[in-house]
Amino acid sequence: MLSALLPVMMLSLPLRGAALALLMRSEAQRVYSYLCSAASAVSAALWSVLVLLNGTSALVLDLPSAMGDYAIRLDGLGALVLLITSLTFACVAMYSLFSREGITPRGAALFNLFMLSVLLAMVADHLLLLLVAWEAMSLTSFLGAWGAREDQDTAAGWKYLAITHFGAALIIAALAFLSVSSGEVRLSEMHGLSASLGAASSAAVIIMVFLGFGSKLGLLPFHIWMPDLYSRSPSTVTALLSTAASNVAVLVLVRVVFDMVGVGEQHVLSLAIMGLAAITALWAAWQALVQRDGSRVLAFSSMENMGLILLTLGAAML
């Protein structure tokens, strides 16, 4: 019973929090909005602990669909990442209640919607759910960074939106190809497709997903949005971009490459990925050393960390 209730609370409470922030303009309702997101984070953390203790949990959403049942699913790897991410959201939500940046209805609503999109992307077991959640992540984080300061330079936000949508196009193309090739829309039903796809098609899919998710992680040359956006965004947006959004990208990338496609004999591709990731990490570390603005240091530091993670993924492929 609890394993079915917790995911429902995890996904429904951010919607309630966003509605409270937008419809009720009083400060008390905005406080309740952040408390809803904190409660959602606690629900996600408890569900993660249950999955880590008892094994994979799945739930079919009661929504009409022409593309099969919309389902969510949480396995051990997802539970570990979700636990870390949910605790991050809980901390940021409580910080937002006392932040000097203030609590605004718009900011509280976007925070809840961004949180919903991140959590849904982590547990989505349907192709359309994942793609919608990924797109919602980009839009809500873009709007959260937009107009936060009177002297805001909107070029940083537009660069972020353009690059992440280019990455999204690659992700959509790769996942749609896998869905058509396998005849499945449930992500958990796609396993080891490299045997049927062949080496060339498998390599093309892996390249597309690495570049697509790499656009969110700051992989060279898709990093150009990070320093400017980090330095112009509210601290809460910056914190969530460097943690929650990156966690989703890494989690889904691992699932696509190692589970849905399967590595196979991709030694040259593995070395190429390792080389690009190593260059990204080294260049970002060097840039972080010469920055004077703390937000830009965080941007390049996050970029370095993501480069190291992608380096280890390339090594795992090898």
Side-chain angles (χ1 to χ4, degrees):
M1 181 64 181
L2 189 59
S3 61
L5 178 61
L6 289 174
V8 173
M9 293 177 60
M10 178 188 76
L11 297 178
S12 61
L13 284 171
L15 282 177
R16 180 181 177 86
L20 283 173
L22 292 176
L23 299 178
M24 308 294 183
R25 311 296 289 186
S26 68
E27 182 176 348
Q29 295 297 338
R30 295 195 291 273
V31 170
Y32 292 149
S33 173
Y34 280 108
L35 291 178
C36 282
S37 56
S40 172
V42 172
S43 300
L46 292 176
W47 189 31
S48 301
V49 172
L50 285 179
V51 170
L52 290 172
L53 294 176
N54 302 322
T56 300
S57 175
L59 178 69
V60 175
L61 302 180
D62 187 18
L63 297 172
S65 170
M67 295 180 62
D69 293 330
Y70 292 128
I72 58 176
R73 181 176 181 271
L74 189 62
D75 56 14
L77 175 62
L80 180 61
V81 180
L82 180 61
L83 177 61
I84 298 170
T85 305
S86 60
L87 294 177
T88 302
F89 270 114
C91 292
V92 175
M94 299 311 295
Y95 166 82
S96 298
L97 293 176
F98 308 101
S99 171
R100 289 181 299 172
E101 293 171 319
I103 302 175
T104 65
R106 175 178 174 274
L110 287 172
F111 177 85
N112 276 276
L113 293 176
F114 177 75
M115 180 178 181
L116 174 62
S117 62
V118 168
L119 299 179
L120 183 58
M122 285 188 170
V123 301
D125 192 28
H126 190 284
L127 177 64
L128 187 59
L129 277 182
L130 173 60
L131 295 178
V132 169
W134 182 261
E135 177 66 15
M137 278 176 51
S138 298
L139 290 176
T140 51
S141 54
F142 166 73
L143 293 173
W146 181 277
R149 291 164 38 169
E150 294 182 358
D151 61 340
Q152 180 86 357
D153 179 6
T154 57
W158 286 116
K159 282 192 293 186
Y160 167 70
L161 197 64
I163 291 174
T164 54
H165 274 75
F166 171 76
L170 294 177
I171 294 169
I172 291 171
L175 294 182
F177 177 73
L178 293 179
S179 178
V180 171
S181 300
S182 64
E184 296 284 351
V185 293
R186 293 282 290 270
L187 304 180
S188 59
E189 299 298 326
M190 303 181 195
H191 296 290
L193 298 179
S194 60
S196 59
L197 294 177
S201 296
S202 298
V205 170
I206 292 174
I207 290 172
M208 284 193 289
V209 294
F210 257 99
L211 295 180
F213 290 112
S215 67
K216 188 79 74 177
L217 298 174
L219 183 69
L220 287 174
F222 304 113
H223 68 287
I224 57 174
W225 62 269
M226 289 186 73
D228 292 338
L229 191 71
Y230 275 48
S231 63
R232 309 297 297 182
S233 299
S235 58
T236 52
V237 175
T238 302
L240 294 175
L241 283 174
S242 62
T243 53
S246 299
N247 288 351
V248 175
V250 172
L251 175 62
V252 181
L253 178 60
V254 169
R255 285 176 171 165
V256 172
V257 173
F258 293 97
D259 184 23
M260 295 168 64
V261 177
V263 178
E265 298 294 328
Q266 299 288 352
H267 301 313
V268 175
L269 179 58
S270 302
L271 291 172
I273 290 173
M274 292 174 65
L276 181 58
I279 292 172
T280 298
L282 291 171
W283 187 84
W286 172 60
Q287 287 292 318
L289 289 173
V290 299
Q291 301 301 316
R292 296 189 176 183
D293 180 78
S295 296
R296 295 179 72 87
V297 173
L298 177 61
F300 284 112
S301 177
S302 298
M303 181 179 169
E304 176 202 0
N305 292 334
M306 294 305 108
L308 293 175
I309 289 175
L310 294 179
L311 176 62
T312 61
L313 293 184
M317 290 176 59
L318 187 63

